[in-house]
């Protein structure tokens, strides 16, 4: 199997990232798909790596979708869901404020996720500008999953993001992340989610105001297991079989 990863920059800024885990004979097709992904770029990097030892996840987190009239209501709902995973309200609120303000201490967005200690609220990622990225995860049959999501009424516009974010959130749970809070840094994309082993994958709109350029991810984690957790999120390869 191969891990194929694409990242693109425009004027020195990361604008697009995507990946595939595929059998070697599908390399050409995967590269063609990935290079079409960014709308505009002045640098695009493709990395191809052999991977051994793929872990199989039979079923992704269950998807639920909710619409609220205001960001405040949406956040309160997210806080209630996070309680079901054992995240105290105070910490969920802290995480929301962090993403609202921009979790990068230098200002703006991070390049990965915050790791927040579920006991103390302390940040555990070794580099707070970078954060931790979940990589090496894909669907066994991406085309079939796309079809199933369309059949379930997910609009075309949302599918690429949903399919990638659901894979990422599912892998996170398998690596031991207790719960996750996310909304995009894309100013046009205001649907976010919270996820966890008990609550599944809960899409929530609007998690931010239209046009807001700040977003991010907070993973609530146990501090004792953080080294193994990071190794899993960055290093272990996972293929998800079904919805
Ligand atoms: N955001 C911002 N910058 C990123 C980035 C991201 N997601 N991914 C890579 N970069 C930039 C950083 O500058 C990084 O340097 P750093 O490690 O100091 O931060 C540099 O590119 C090299 O990154 P690297 O980790 O070596 O990239 P990679 O070749 O392993 O590819 C991606 C990683 C791009 C596949 C991965 O980050 C990604 O975007 N995956 C898809 C994520 C996804 O589906 N997200 C959900 C969408 S809702
Ligand atoms: P996006 O949903 O792609 O707009 O990403 C939202 C935020 O999630 C980014 O600003 C990063 O902080 C973070 N992020 C992006 N890619 C990853 C990843 N692969 N793993 C963890 N966090 C990520």
């Amino acid at each position: 199997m191969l891990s194929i990863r694409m990242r693109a920059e425009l004027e020195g800024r990361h604008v697009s990232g995507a990946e595939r885990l595929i059998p070697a004979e599908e390399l050409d097709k995967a590269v063609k798909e990935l290079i079409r992904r960014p709308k505009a770029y002045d640098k695009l990097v493709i990395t191809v790596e052999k991977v051994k030892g793929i872990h199989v996840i039979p079923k992704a987190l269950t998807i639920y979708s909710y619409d609220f009239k205001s960001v405040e209501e949406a956040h309160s709902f997210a806080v209630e869901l996070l309680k079901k995973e054992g995240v105290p309200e105070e910490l969920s609120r802290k995480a929301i404020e962090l993403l609202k303000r921009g979790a990068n201490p230098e200002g703006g967005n991070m390049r990965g996720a915050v790791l927040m200690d579920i006991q103390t609220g302390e940040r555990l990622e070794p580099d707070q500008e970078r954060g931790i990225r979940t990589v090496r995860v894909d669907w066994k049959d991406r085309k079939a999953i796309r079809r199933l999501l369309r059949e379930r009424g997910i609009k075309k516009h949302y599918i690429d993001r949903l399919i990638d974010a659901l894979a990422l959130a599912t892998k996170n749970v398998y690596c031991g992340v207790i719960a996750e809070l996310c909304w995009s840094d894309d100013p046009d994309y205001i649907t976010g989610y919270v996820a966890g082993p008990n609550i599944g994958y809960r899409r929530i709109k609007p998690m931010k105001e239209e046009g807001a350029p700040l977003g991010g991810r907070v993973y609530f984690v146990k501090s004792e297991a953080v080294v193994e957790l990071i190794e899993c999120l960055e290093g272990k390869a996972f293929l998800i079989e079904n919805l």
Side-chain angles (χ1 to χ4, degrees):
M1 295 289 284
L2 298 175
S3 162
I4 321 291
R5 302 190 299 279
M6 178 283 296
R7 59 185 174 86
E9 288 174 21
L10 185 64
E11 288 159 5
R13 234 172 17 94
H14 174 87
V15 288
S16 177
E19 65 167 317
R20 299 286 185 269
L21 277 174
I22 46 148
E25 57 273 20
E26 289 176 22
L27 176 62
D28 287 18
K29 194 170 124 248
V31 170
K32 261 189 202 151
E33 257 178 52
L34 291 177
I35 60 175
R36 276 197 228 114
R37 195 71 186 257
K39 283 188 209 113
Y41 59 86
D42 41 38
K43 179 176 169 185
L44 184 144
V45 180
I46 296 268
T47 305
V48 181
E49 262 175 14
K50 277 192 184 160
V51 278
K52 288 185 204 118
I54 301 250
H55 302 258
V56 173
I57 300 176
K59 193 179 174 306
L61 298 179
T62 304
I63 306 167
Y64 306 85
S65 304
Y66 306 87
D67 265 307
F68 291 91
K69 288 204 182 72
S70 69
V71 171
E72 289 68 33
E73 283 172 82
H75 285 177
S76 295
F77 182 65
V79 167
E80 289 309 310
L81 287 172
L82 288 169
K83 277 186 196 163
K84 296 187 185 188
E85 298 291 3
V87 185
E89 170 152 4
E90 185 197 335
L91 288 200
S92 299
R93 295 279 175 198
K94 180 177 173 171
I96 288 170
E97 284 311 308
L98 200 56
L99 296 191
K100 262 192 186 168
R101 261 202 335 267
N104 184 334
E106 296 302 308
N109 294 305
M110 291 170 65
R111 307 195 297 279
V114 172
L115 301 185
M116 187 176 279
D117 184 333
I118 192 160
Q119 304 288 339
T120 64
E122 195 190 336
R123 290 178 65 168
L124 301 173
E125 68 279 13
D127 175 344
Q128 295 192 355
E129 290 175 47
R130 180 184 189 273
I132 295 297
R133 287 193 292 273
T134 304
V135 281
R136 296 181 173 78
V137 59
D138 197 4
W139 300 92
K140 203 163 186 182
D141 186 348
R142 187 171 268 266
K143 225 168 139 183
I145 299 298
R146 180 179 286 278
R147 203 167 47 236
L148 282 172
L149 289 173
R150 289 287 284 150
E151 281 165 16
R152 289 190 190 182
I154 303 288
K155 294 195 185 103
K156 218 170 175 182
H157 169 69
Y158 292 110
I159 284 206
D160 276 339
R161 279 177 189 280
L162 173 59
I163 214 168
D164 289 345
L166 176 62
L168 186 153
T170 300
K171 170 168 174 178
N172 287 347
V173 165
Y174 271 73
C175 284
V177 170
I178 295 166
E180 177 183 356
L181 165 74
C182 166
W183 66 82
S184 176
D185 51 44
D186 180 341
D188 300 326
Y189 196 73
I190 60 173
T191 303
Y193 67 84
V194 293
N198 301 307
I199 60 176
Y201 183 89
R202 308 268 183 150
R203 305 170 69 226
I204 306 174
K205 186 182 176 188
M207 286 296 272
K208 67 174 187 178
E209 303 295 345
E210 197 82 55
L214 295 176
R217 287 184 159 85
V218 177
Y219 300 171
F220 297 94
V221 303
K222 287 199 181 118
S223 59
E224 310 87 82
V226 85
V227 173
E228 295 79 5
L229 177 70
I230 294 173
E231 276 169 17
C232 182
L233 295 172
E234 296 183 336
K236 283 192 187 160
F238 284 82
L239 266 184
I240 308 168
E241 287 187 318
N242 217 329
L243 280 181

